[in-house]
């Protein structure tokens, strides 16, 4: 497959079904497009044909949600076989999944898949499992992968390692890179503080404290371990901030993205938008903002 000459940006968008036709007809400038790997595991069909057509114009990033890399029950051989076949077919620019578990041994035998991204405990035992599973995937695919930090709505009583240290240990021991989702950082930081509500002054203090926690997280990661950034929209309720990928990227997340780029240097930035998917032009506008930040993160465009 041949690619067009290098694109003028390093930013990308998720390739979603409503945009396939328009994107392929107009081929706007993008650094890459991302798809969820599991949607293309079938051997044929319209979805795979459309992806291969997009691959003629753009580098493709394969982002998985089902490997369950932190699962003590191990990896699903069928899933890994399908992922390997897709990687060989598409030759993606990056392959990624999450620091999550999903597979557990059932009481009556067999394996149950939770169909969700469940958070791992930040313990030495959990890190050992994650390292082993990530290493097995990389050996099968014959390439390093990226592992994404989660937005998590619970923590474990036996957490013993700070999350940045945990993720840095994963990268060091397995050779993988980190896919740093700065929207997830912001959601977690907001949920770690007081609940929303309480007036404008309290809201400003809450946002400031959340930003400080996010920057401290980024500062705690070693340079050289982050290979991609994700940005997205979130929604706040009275009780929680929720990572819903259903709106424009907020100003605080853009600011955090700029901070990460200043610390780690230029790298690909993906705009995620998975619910209430907008017209393609809206997504392209968000990608253009990400591209400007990548050029000069010290200047945050409006």
């Amino acid at each position: 497959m041949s690619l067009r000459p290098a694109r003028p940006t390093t930013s990308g968008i998720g390739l979603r079904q409503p945009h396939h036709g328009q994107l392929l007809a107009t081929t706007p400038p993008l650094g890459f497009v991302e798809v969820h790997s599991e949607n293309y595991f079938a051997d044929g069909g319209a979805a795979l044909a459309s992806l291969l057509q997009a691959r003629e114009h753009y580098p493709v990033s394969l982002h998985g949600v089902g490997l369950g890399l932190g699962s003590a029950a191990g990896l699903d051989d069928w899933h890994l076989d399908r992922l390997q076949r897709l990687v060989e077919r598409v030759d993606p620019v990056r392959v990624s999944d999450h620091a999550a578990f999903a597979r557990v041994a059932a009481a009556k035998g067999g394996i149950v898949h939770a169909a969700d991204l469940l958070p791992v405990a930040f313990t030495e035992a959990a890190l050992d499992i994650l390292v082993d599973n990530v290493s097995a995937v990389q050996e099968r695919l014959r390439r390093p992968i990226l592992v994404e930090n989660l937005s998590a709505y619970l923590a474990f009583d036996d957490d013993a390692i700070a999350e940045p240290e945990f993720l840095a240990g994963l990268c060091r021991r397995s050779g993988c890179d980190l896919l740093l989702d700065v929207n997830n950082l912001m959601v977690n930081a907001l949920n770690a503080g007081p609940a929303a509500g309480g007036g404008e002054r309290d809201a400003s203090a809450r946002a400031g404290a959340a930003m400080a926690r996010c920057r401290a997280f980024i500062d705690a990661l070693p340079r050289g371990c982050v290979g991609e950034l994700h940005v997205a929209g979130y929604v706040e309720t009275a009780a929680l901030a929720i990572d819903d990928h259903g709106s424009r990227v907020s100003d605080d997340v853009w600011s955090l993205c700029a901070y990460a780029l200043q610390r780690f240097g230029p790298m690909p930035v993906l705009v995620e938008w998975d619910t209430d998917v907008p017209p393609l032009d809206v997504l392209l506008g968000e990608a253009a903002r990400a591209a400007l930040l990548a050029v000069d993160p010290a200047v945050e465009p409006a």
Side-chain angles (χ1 to χ4, degrees):
M1 298 180 184
S2 62
L3 292 177
R4 292 186 172 193
R7 293 285 178 158
T9 82
T10 59
S11 65
I13 63 172
L15 178 60
R16 301 297 176 253
Q17 191 279 330
H19 301 145
H20 283 198
Q22 185 180 359
L23 189 82
L24 293 173
T26 58
T27 60
L30 287 167
F32 65 100
V33 294
E34 183 197 84
V35 297
H36 290 154
S37 307
E38 291 82 3
N39 291 337
Y40 300 89
F41 277 2
D43 288 326
L48 182 60
S50 181
L51 175 60
L52 294 177
Q53 191 176 359
R55 177 64 180 82
E56 296 177 0
H57 302 284
Y58 301 104
V60 170
S61 178
L62 296 179
H63 186 52
V65 296
L67 272 173
L69 292 169
S71 302
L75 300 167
D76 181 341
D77 287 337
W78 179 90
H79 189 116
L80 194 49
D81 286 344
R82 287 289 166 172
L83 179 60
Q84 180 183 12
R85 293 179 65 176
L86 183 63
V87 166
E88 291 171 349
R89 180 171 283 171
V90 174
D91 188 22
V93 65
R94 284 176 298 283
V95 179
S96 58
D97 209 296
H98 299 77
F101 80 91
R103 291 164 44 80
V104 296
K108 296 183 179 180
I111 299 293
V112 175
H113 197 292
D116 203 348
L117 299 171
L118 303 175
V120 297
F122 298 132
T123 65
E124 290 292 346
L127 180 57
D128 289 343
I129 291 167
L130 191 56
V131 168
D132 287 347
N133 287 338
V134 168
S135 298
V137 172
Q138 293 180 144
E139 184 176 352
R140 176 72 70 86
L141 300 184
R142 299 180 181 178
R143 63 165 70 202
I145 66 171
L146 290 84
V147 179
E148 180 180 343
N149 58 299
L150 288 189
S151 54
Y153 305 98
L154 58 86
F156 294 94
D157 288 340
D158 58 347
D159 283 349
I161 307 172
E163 186 176 1
E165 180 185 350
F166 182 91
L167 295 172
L170 169 66
C171 294
R172 183 180 65 254
R173 291 174 54 187
S174 72
C176 76
D177 283 333
L178 181 62
L179 195 171
L180 183 61
D181 190 316
V182 295
N183 187 65
N184 290 354
L185 291 188
M186 180 55 64
V187 166
N188 291 348
L190 288 169
N191 290 335
E200 184 175 341
R201 179 177 298 178
D202 287 346
S204 178
R206 179 171 182 263
M211 182 63 71
R213 283 190 286 270
C214 291
R215 290 185 173 186
F217 188 112
I218 290 171
D219 290 341
L221 291 172
R223 288 185 172 90
C225 73
V226 179
E228 183 181 350
L229 300 176
H230 275 189
V231 295
Y234 66 86
V235 63
E236 287 198 75
T237 70
L240 284 173
I242 299 173
D243 175 37
D244 69 341
H245 296 185
S247 58
R248 289 182 183 273
V249 180
S250 63
D251 288 342
D252 54 3
V253 171
W254 281 126
S255 179
L256 198 57
C257 179
Y259 189 82
L261 287 167
Q262 287 176 313
R263 173 161 175 77
F264 301 119
M267 68 180 62
V269 179
L270 177 84
V271 177
E272 292 188 289
W273 200 321
D274 299 316
T275 61
D276 296 327
V277 177
L280 179 59
D281 287 348
V282 174
L283 268 179
L284 295 176
E286 297 286 87
R289 183 169 182 176
L292 287 174
L293 277 184
V295 172
D296 188 357
V299 178
E300 298 179 32

